[in-house]
Amino acid sequence: MSRPHPLHSITAEEITKASTLLKAILRERHGPDFKFRFKNVSIQEPPKTLLLPYLDAEAAGVDTRYRPFVPRCADIVWTSSNERTLCQSTISLDSFTEVGRIQAAPGQHSSLDRDEMRKSARKILDDDIVKEAIKKLKLPESCVVQCDCWPYGADRDSTPETHKYIQGLLYARAPNGHPESNQYSFPLPFSPVLDIFEDKIVRLEPLASGGKGDGLKYYTSGEEPMAHCAENEYYPGLQSSKARDDVKPLHVEQPEGPSFTVTDTNCVSWQKWRIRVGFNYREGLTLHDIRYDGRPMFYRLSISEMTVPYGDPRSPFHRKQAFDLGDAGAGSTANNLALGCDCLGTIKYFGGWLNNEDGEPVEAGNVICLHEQDGGIGWKHTNHRTQGVAITRARNLIFQSILTVGNYEYIFAWIFWQNGNIEMETRATGILSTSLIDPGKTSEWGNVVSPGVLAANHQHLFSLRVDPMLDGHNNSLIQEESISVPQSEDENPHGNAWRVVKTPFAKSGFADASPFTNRCFKIVNESVRNPVSGNPVGFKLVPQPCQLLLAGQNSVVRKRARFAEHHMWVTRYRDGDLWAGGRWTNQSLQETDGVADYASRDEDVRDQDIVIWHTFGMTHNPRVEDFPVMPVEVSTISLKPADFFTANPALDVPQSTQAVNKSTLVVQSHPAVSHKPSPSSTGCCHARL
Amino acid sequence: MSRPHPLHSITAEEITKASTLLKAILRERHGPDFKFRFKNVSIQEPPKTLLLPYLDAEAAGVDTRYRPFVPRCADIVWTSSNERTLCQSTISLDSFTEVGRIQAAPGQHSSLDRDEMRKSARKILDDDIVKEAIKKLKLPESCVVQCDCWPYGADRDSTPETHKYIQGLLYARAPNGHPESNQYSFPLPFSPVLDIFEDKIVRLEPLASGGKGDGLKYYTSGEEPMAHCAENEYYPGLQSSKARDDVKPLHVEQPEGPSFTVTDTNCVSWQKWRIRVGFNYREGLTLHDIRYDGRPMFYRLSISEMTVPYGDPRSPFHRKQAFDLGDAGAGSTANNLALGCDCLGTIKYFGGWLNNEDGEPVEAGNVICLHEQDGGIGWKHTNHRTQGVAITRARNLIFQSILTVGNYEYIFAWIFWQNGNIEMETRATGILSTSLIDPGKTSEWGNVVSPGVLAANHQHLFSLRVDPMLDGHNNSLIQEESISVPQSEDENPHGNAWRVVKTPFAKSGFADASPFTNRCFKIVNESVRNPVSGNPVGFKLVPQPCQLLLAGQNSVVRKRARFAEHHMWVTRYRDGDLWAGGRWTNQSLQETDGVADYASRDEDVRDQDIVIWHTFGMTHNPRVEDFPVMPVEVSTISLKPADFFTANPALDVPQSTQAVNKSTLVVQSHPAVSHKPSPSSTGCCHARL
């Protein structure tokens, strides 16, 4: 195989090559019996100073042979001594050497990997003390107990000496249950803690199952504490009611194929856009080198991190705070997407490669899907004088990836519009994290969503990372607000005027959403002016004014997720500044080397190579409707051109016509259908003049 | 024809019947030469006390013959003496009598109707003084000047004695231009004012064309003041660049027809939902008697009003403030929707009836379209132990209607989800309202979007009216916020907890959005408890935290649109309380009998028949990309069940499978396609067990 494009994700061969080298190095240094585990093997993206000239040469049509050399390195995260030692090695895939190694500090713990979680769950369930405790619950014989391995989290008692732990959350399948039975309807009232360093169960923590007025330390004393729990299934065929039978098939057909083309394995061209698709274990889907009509737009777009703190103060629930990217990995947990199930229409899939604990490549098939969708009306105007109609339908291009992090699912989609908009859509779905609540009780800390089942209030806070290169890599960030002009005879005699107040960021820092002043943030290139308006060319981001971290000012929850204290951050670009919550999030005591640290460098950001970070998400106080599986909760962030173009970029989209669109008319109330349009419904398809 | 359903919009026969009666009455009283005009003839919706028992009987399956009698009345708005006198008559269609008449107060003016606008435009353009003024602009001979008739608006100089005026905004088609040439690229620098009462042009107002620093009263003194304007076309075939040719066809096919049925001409049944579709000249599309699985949910949903104030303080621009429903009518301006152009897929159309100035029926064909869409993934969970996947696709039902109000378009869509959500989506599109700006200048009050063309900053503020009947017509409104619990050993030792604080409304009134406290509003029925959670059954509305009116506290702009001073209003239901900005908005001096007045009655609203009003929208500071036609700006408000159901209502949606969905795999980079799924992409379609 020829050398992959610098933005190609790691290949199976490269994983083998890099891990073989590291194995040899470690065994040579520490002896043949040295025990170590591979956590993650991925590509270390090249320094921007080396990559950008390559991408510019590529965009200019320079043949591969004449583009600058860009080194290719693997990034290996590995551990030894039961995860006690945690290292990151950089392996040159060109010179076949270890060119760098960083050892994590005490208290920085590795993420939870699949092999580790599988083994830990088995260890917990095989433990005699755990078995004994389960027995006391007097579950029906046929109940199978299962264990979800949760990150242990941190609190004020955690120190850099705290071992790496796993918090086992135990659930039972329904009596006589099926392997797909919804365990979250039967939450057990205690939680084993596994010490990973010592490789043993260190304690069983009782889980509070009280309600309002029961305080922090009420534990059930019932003989059969789970007897009031009831089967509540989501899996097809197990549900108590039959599937509805009145959803008629709906097909999306593209008889001439899709409007996109994929070249060089990961380069997508579509409707003047050109985008490189990336994939890694941590962020999952990433997008690179986004250009429109040849103009550079975005160097890199990604979801950088998320934090999911829970609002139940009763120990150990107070430690529930997942960082699903840093603690688990959006790539490591990415679904293998299925044709016709996850994706409707004409679909292209992209795969990637992960690794097991031995450093062997593991295929991650179909982790990204790509397809087009009809986006409704794109623009329309009817000339009321002539009844002449100009109308287009919007066509969108969608990159989608889905994560399963234990109980919960996230669907991430990047949506490209012909009008220059780029949207990041998240859909939260899956199953709520639950705990037992005694019969008849309700709680201040969550909602009862099934008999005996409390779903705790929690937040989902995501960090969107935007690395722009609008007409060049030196850009600025400007805050814009619409502010009323005071009424005065000189300037605003009738009181109807407002002014758009623009405040550029001079230094790296943060800002918050302010919807009531119509605050938006414009990324601009101050050296390139729009010839029509005279404004610098730019893109606009209206921050979602979500509720930020609810955890108290001095809480560890907050210290661990400084990125979620503000809606917007702007930082000066540095290679490797990729993770809003810091590199090592698992059991972190504070956010280290996260976006708050990047921003605190107090660097110049005006007309510089900058990165924008947007914190968005939601406070999720569960509804009964969110169980036994949650309908998608959709949230969308948009990047929109703002004086980047000299006109509506979707102006040249061809008119919407029945000749192309072939819609069908319902001529009767009942499903008799006809392809003939009614006489009065052919309006815009005729030339009127 | 048998008696129409009480919620059927007015029929052609009824229009003829009602206007014939009114003509006879007026001629009898005022003599055969009495001149009057019909503005609008519509159905006056029956009192709720009469209609609700009918609807309940209908829902219970009672045959039409045995349902209670509900009177059917026409509502006629008519004027005489050049719109000097404005009346609303109620005509019983049962007893064939005028049963009520209200005469508007001095200063309350009628809306602008189509016939009136057509005549007024002609009058303005035929006026010698106007012709002379146009001549002085030295436009090329071939330029055709056209006139948009704008509501005159109001300001502090307006009084109840102010006549009804039309503000003519003049534009030219491009030289040698086509009838579809984009006039908004050539705005003329003066504006004729037509006095409707006197039926004459009363003055030409010069329009400021200065830029920053030029003050309020700079008028061009150039010889050819529009010479720097340039053709900027949106119409297909007129655009300077060719249409793109790489958008491949995309068809939506439903081989078994749609999943909805329509009975009784306007009753839609779909996926457990039942909805009555209404249409009237003022609100356009309305929805009634919405039930789910037989349970009453919403009595009526509508867009009640919108206001579009502009932020340019230079006279007469300061008076630009459209109320597109009250001044023109969402039904009166509704587009005749075209198969395959406005709507993709399997489409059902609904029509309605409007009238001309003689009271004759005018067909409003295809003003509403109804179809299904794939809504992406509806819910998903992957069992990480078994890799068993449960996944559904969401199917949505969409009622769509499109308004053309002069230069601008609004696309309104009500979107129903299988999961119980109801969304109101607005898409703003069409052409910006423009004025001339001198060469090389830029403005504080808008953006230059084409040579010589200033698009002023403006706001769009909509009022969504929600009349609930959740499990009965006595409902309450509760404000909910998520508030951090102070850190304390007793209650919140680690600082991670928050509490959901609920505040019910006792009296009619208002509230504002507060996204940073996660404020949402729940409409609940306190007499019906969710058996799982114990909470009252309810629906949730998260208000869009849009910027509210920017106009000053003492401005007439603000006095006219009190509804847009707050995000949320709750009022006690009264028949006829339908219009957030009051019945007569055209040239109104203040909002009279609008939602602020309804709310100020200080009525009990807890466990009462209540109505909720939500103000949403945007401040629109135009981008260059919004010209010559604006890409849709999408804004969505959701009503979501919150403990209304005992589980996810979309739980029983059948699993998403390739057997039904028939997606297509892109097997090559290039458009070669195949129907065969790849081996690793069949995941969820197999029974795994």
Side-chain angles (χ1 to χ4, degrees), chain A residues 180 262 340-341 386 661 669 684, chain B residues 180 262 340-341 386 550 661 669 684:
Chain A
E180 300 299 346
V262 181
C341 307
T386 62
N661 290 335
S669 310
C684 69
Chain B
E180 300 300 347
V262 181
C341 306
T386 62
L550 272 155
N661 290 335
S669 310
C684 69

Side-chain angles (χ1 to χ4, degrees), chain A residues 147-148 156 178 180 234 236 239 243-244 246-248 251-253 257 259 262 271 310 312 318 335-336 338-347 349 366 375 377-378 380-383 385-386 391 393 395 407 409 427 429-430 444 447 449-450 482 484 489 493-496 498-499 513 515-516 518 532 535 545 547 550-552 621 623-625 627 629-630 632-633 640-641 643-645 648-649 651-652 655-656 658 660-661 663-664 666 669 680-681 684-685 689, chain B residues 147-148 156 178 180 234 236 239 243-244 246-248 251-253 257 259 262 271 310 312 318 335-336 338-347 366 375 377-383 385-386 391 393 395 407 409 427 429-430 444 447 449 482 484 489 493-496 498-499 513 515-516 518 532 535 545 547 550-552 621 623-625 627 629 632-633 640-641 643-645 648-649 651-652 655-656 658 660-661 663-666 669 680-681 684-685 689:
Chain A
C147 176
D148 279 7
R156 58 187 177 183
H178 192 276
E180 300 299 346
Y234 69 93
Q239 295 178 21
R244 59 180 80 186
D246 57 350
V247 190
K248 302 285 177 66
H251 301 151
V252 174
E253 301 203 351
S259 314
V262 181
Q271 300 288 299
Y310 283 72
D312 190 333
H318 72 283
N335 288 195
N336 184 325
L339 191 71
C341 307
D342 297 287
C343 316
L344 188 68
T346 302
I347 317 292
Y349 291 96
N366 297 347
I377 292 169
K380 179 175 189 179
H381 182 60
T382 302
N383 183 338
R385 286 178 186 81
T386 62
I391 183 169
R393 293 201 74 79
R395 181 70 60 82
N407 54 298
E409 259 78 10
R427 293 181 174 221
T429 180
E444 295 186 285
N447 203 12
V449 295
S450 190
S482 298
S484 299
E489 290 309 310
H494 294 277
N496 68 306
W498 63 89
R499 193 166 269 128
F516 305 143
N518 198 40
V532 177
N535 290 321
Q547 184 170 40
L550 272 155
N621 304 327
R623 309 172 297 163
V624 173
E625 286 84 354
F627 205 75
V629 65
M630 181 180 155
V632 285
E633 183 71 28
K640 297 183 182 178
D643 291 11
F644 189 78
F645 296 102
N648 174 356
L651 190 60
D652 65 341
Q655 291 300 295
S656 177
Q658 172 66 354
V660 172
N661 290 335
S663 286
T664 303
V666 180
S669 310
S680 55
S681 70
C684 69
C685 306
L689 305 155
Chain B
C147 177
D148 279 7
R156 58 186 178 184
H178 191 276
E180 300 300 347
Y234 68 92
Q239 295 179 22
R244 59 180 80 186
D246 56 351
V247 189
K248 301 285 177 66
H251 301 150
V252 173
E253 301 202 352
S259 315
V262 181
Q271 300 288 299
Y310 282 73
D312 190 333
H318 72 284
N335 289 194
N336 184 325
L339 191 71
C341 306
D342 296 288
C343 316
L344 187 69
T346 302
I347 318 291
N366 297 347
I377 292 169
W379 55 261
K380 178 173 189 179
H381 182 59
T382 301
N383 182 339
R385 286 178 187 81
T386 62
I391 182 168
R393 293 201 73 79
R395 181 71 59 83
N407 53 297
E409 260 78 9
R427 294 182 173 220
T429 180
E444 294 187 285
N447 203 12
V449 295
S482 299
S484 299
E489 289 310 309
H494 295 277
N496 68 305
W498 63 90
R499 193 166 268 128
F516 304 144
N518 198 40
V532 177
N535 291 320
Q547 183 170 41
L550 272 155
N621 303 327
R623 309 171 297 161
V624 173
E625 285 84 354
F627 205 74
V629 64
V632 286
E633 184 71 27
K640 298 183 182 178
D643 291 10
F644 189 78
F645 296 102
N648 174 356
L651 190 61
D652 65 341
Q655 291 300 296
S656 178
Q658 171 66 354
V660 172
N661 290 335
S663 287
T664 303
L665 189 68
V666 180
S669 310
S680 55
S681 70
C684 69
C685 305
L689 304 156

Side-chain angles (χ1 to χ4, degrees), chain B residues 96-108:
Chain B
F96 205 50
T97 50
E98 185 181 17
V99 294
R101 185 188 295 185
I102 295 165
Q103 184 166 342
Q108 293 185 326

Side-chain angles (χ1 to χ4, degrees), chain A residues 589-610:
Chain A
L589 309 180
Q590 59 183 39
E591 184 184 298
T592 304
D593 222 17
V595 69
D597 301 294
Y598 310 155
S600 71
R601 287 179 208 138
D602 199 35
E603 289 171 298
D604 290 337
V605 292
R606 190 150 181 194
D607 201 24
Q608 299 287 346
D609 188 1
I610 57 172

Side-chain angles (χ1 to χ4, degrees), chain A residues 230-264:
Chain A
E231 195 170 351
N232 198 339
E233 306 291 3
Y234 69 93
Y235 199 77
L238 300 185
Q239 295 178 21
S240 57
S241 57
K242 252 184 51 190
R244 59 180 80 186
D245 59 5
D246 57 350
V247 190
K248 302 285 177 66
L250 184 150
H251 301 151
V252 174
E253 301 203 351
Q254 294 194 264
E256 299 176 21
S259 314
F260 57 80
T261 55
V262 181
T263 52
D264 198 18

Side-chain angles (χ1 to χ4, degrees), chain A residues 268-287:
Chain A
V268 177
S269 299
W270 176 81
Q271 300 288 299
K272 302 186 186 172
W273 293 94
R274 229 215 39 197
I275 303 145
R276 280 270 172 193
V277 189
F279 174 79
N280 66 67
Y281 74 93
R282 180 156 175 154
E283 298 157 288
L285 168 61
T286 55
L287 300 178

